[in-house]
Amino acid sequence: MRALTKFSLLVSTTLVAAPLSTLAADPEVATSGYVEMYYQWNLGNPSNGLTNWRGFDNRHNSFTLDAVALTTTWQDDGFTGTLGLQYGATPRTYYAAEPALAGAGGASATGADVWQYVQQANVAYRLPQQPKLELAAGLFLSPIGPEGIAVRDNWNFSRSNLFFGLPFYHTGARAKLAVSDRLSITAAGYNGYNSVVDNNDAKSVSLQFSYAVPEQLTASVLYFGGVERSEGAPEGSPWRHLIDAHATWHVTPALSLLAHVDVGVEQTKFGRSHWEAAALYARYKLSSELMVAARGDIFRETAAKNDDGQAGAIFFPTTQIASATGSLSYQPTTHALVQLEIRHDRADDDLFFSGDVALTPEGNAIANASDQSTISVGVTAWF
């Protein structure tokens, strides 16, 4: 928590680095937060109580407090500061890929344990002479894909395999230009995938085009490229290319459809690794309080291989993983949501647990099933 306090003070110091005349006016402050919890039953009844490779809803036969989050945003003389804090099981997954780097006598180490309580922290500024241009720097939620880290922002309780596999957050700087009321362009430079502190000397770049017609259509096309392997990786330092596209169409006030496609390639020392992933969603509002939603997704990855060896998997330790999900959502008030969800996952290899789960001599669980089915009840409330 001491590191978090220092980080918060740094953000605050950056925001108030303005003329004393500016400090006379109080900033506009807005605070929001949410709590997420669930109970889940895995039909395989795994003895270790784990629903594997699900990311966030991963505990069988347990009432689980998944996430508690609090976000504060303040605006002052063209500056906007955002600080989001989080606690619970979700943050541990959120930061699972954060590089763990050693420190020294005069420098602290860094890793997931340092940053996991910070969901986002950034500062943005709109130029007085160009109010349609926003410059920002800090830790951001990833713009890749249509799903969000907060359950209430999604159509289903669980997240898709695409959301779990692709990056959750980025640290760097970006510029967003509102070309018109419907079109915006965002260019950014980041440390890379899921890295507050970079794991190599290279930086990644991103370019996104977003289009929106209120209450009718939203669409996004994004390119993300950079070196993502750690220094000294056997794959070398290949440039990883990612193209992500998704569109949401509100067909009628009751019916909405969403499509998401993500593809990428990485030319390693062992040849070309690549992936293809897609998800289709549908949601229908039965009433102002009751909604049904369905999602199907698939994620396929091919790891490069030649006589010199094989590249490590980027996302999942299997060639293909897919899921089918159905949700019934009940929103009794403006700030609460109850969801019943049924989901089935299937992979080309044994990734999941079922029945009596054996352990390695080191005490690690051995996956013994290529599919799993779950029934979950999730509750989230926010303000």
Side-chain angles (χ1 to χ4, degrees):
M1 292 302 292
R2 184 176 300 171
L4 175 57
T5 302
K6 291 181 179 180
F7 186 81
S8 301
L9 289 174
L10 176 60
V11 173
S12 300
T13 303
T14 303
L15 283 174
V16 300
L20 292 178
S21 59
T22 304
L23 304 181
D26 292 332
E28 298 179 12
V29 180
T31 301
S32 62
Y34 61 84
V35 176
E36 297 172 352
M37 61 197 76
Y38 69 92
Y39 174 83
Q40 181 184 97
W41 181 263
N42 186 318
L43 274 63
N45 195 17
S47 60
N48 62 353
L50 295 178
T51 298
N52 210 22
W53 292 102
R54 191 69 72 79
F56 304 100
D57 56 319
N58 55 24
R59 295 292 165 177
H60 159 63
N61 193 21
S62 176
F63 292 99
T64 303
L65 180 60
D66 212 28
V68 178
L70 184 66
T71 300
T72 299
T73 302
W74 59 100
Q75 296 182 343
D76 188 17
D77 196 29
F79 283 93
T80 300
T82 301
L83 176 61
L85 305 180
Q86 59 183 0
Y87 191 82
T90 288
R92 296 298 298 270
T93 300
Y94 190 76
Y95 275 100
E98 175 65 26
L101 304 176
S108 63
T110 183
D113 59 330
V114 176
W115 303 105
Q116 65 179 330
Y117 304 112
V118 184
Q119 188 182 89
Q120 55 180 319
N122 52 75
V123 180
Y125 180 66
R126 290 188 180 275
L127 303 177
Q129 65 274 23
Q130 182 54 270
K132 293 185 177 182
L133 177 63
E134 180 184 80
L135 306 177
L139 171 63
F140 303 96
L141 300 176
S142 179
I144 299 173
E147 293 181 293
I149 189 63
V151 168
R152 71 169 191 263
D153 296 332
N154 304 322
W155 294 0
N156 301 97
F157 174 74
S158 67
R159 285 79 162 189
S160 68
N161 288 310
L162 279 71
F163 182 85
F164 181 42
L166 296 168
F168 303 139
Y169 62 90
H170 310 286
T171 301
R174 69 187 188 191
K176 181 177 181 179
L177 177 64
V179 179
S180 68
D181 293 339
R182 297 183 176 184
L183 177 65
S184 64
I185 301 174
T186 303
Y190 298 118
N191 284 337
Y193 285 30
N194 294 334
S195 53
V196 177
V197 179
D198 211 345
N199 64 342
N200 56 52
D201 291 335
K203 295 295 174 280
S204 300
V205 295
S206 174
L207 182 63
Q208 181 180 22
F209 296 85
S210 301
Y211 183 81
V213 180
E215 300 181 1
Q216 295 183 41
L217 176 72
T218 59
S220 167
V221 177
L222 176 146
Y223 168 80
F224 196 107
V227 177
E228 305 300 338
R229 300 283 183 176
S230 300
E231 293 287 347
E235 295 84 0
S237 300
W239 190 274
R240 184 180 301 170
H241 302 274
L242 174 153
I243 297 178
D244 184 88
H246 57 87
T248 303
W249 178 30
H250 301 290
V251 184
T252 69
L255 177 63
S256 297
L257 303 175
L258 192 161
H260 179 201
V261 176
D262 190 280
V263 297
V265 63
E266 183 183 69
Q267 188 67 41
T268 75
K269 290 183 177 180
F270 307 118
R272 177 176 296 179
S273 293
H274 59 90
W275 73 88
E276 303 82 31
L280 294 175
Y281 309 68
R283 183 181 67 177
Y284 189 81
K285 295 183 178 181
L286 300 171
S287 68
S288 60
E289 300 177 345
L290 200 61
M291 295 168 285
V292 291
R295 178 186 67 219
D297 66 78
I298 185 169
F299 203 120
R300 185 173 181 83
E301 178 182 355
T302 301
K305 184 178 181 180
N306 60 20
D307 293 340
D308 296 327
Q310 181 171 340
I314 300 172
F315 303 103
F316 299 96
T318 187
T319 303
Q320 181 173 288
I321 186 171
S323 69
T325 307
S327 299
L328 175 65
S329 301
Y330 173 59
Q331 189 169 355
T333 69
T334 305
H335 300 287
L337 185 64
V338 181
Q339 293 173 291
L340 172 65
E341 180 175 282
I342 300 175
R343 173 166 168 167
H344 179 73
D345 301 308
R346 185 169 185 81
D348 283 355
D349 299 278
D350 286 348
L351 296 188
F352 313 116
F353 303 118
S354 180
D356 293 330
V357 179
L359 302 177
T360 66
E362 296 76 23
N364 299 318
I366 300 175
N368 60 358
S370 61
D371 67 312
Q372 65 182 359
S373 298
T374 58
I375 300 173
S376 306
V377 177
V379 180
T380 180
W382 62 92
F383 67 93

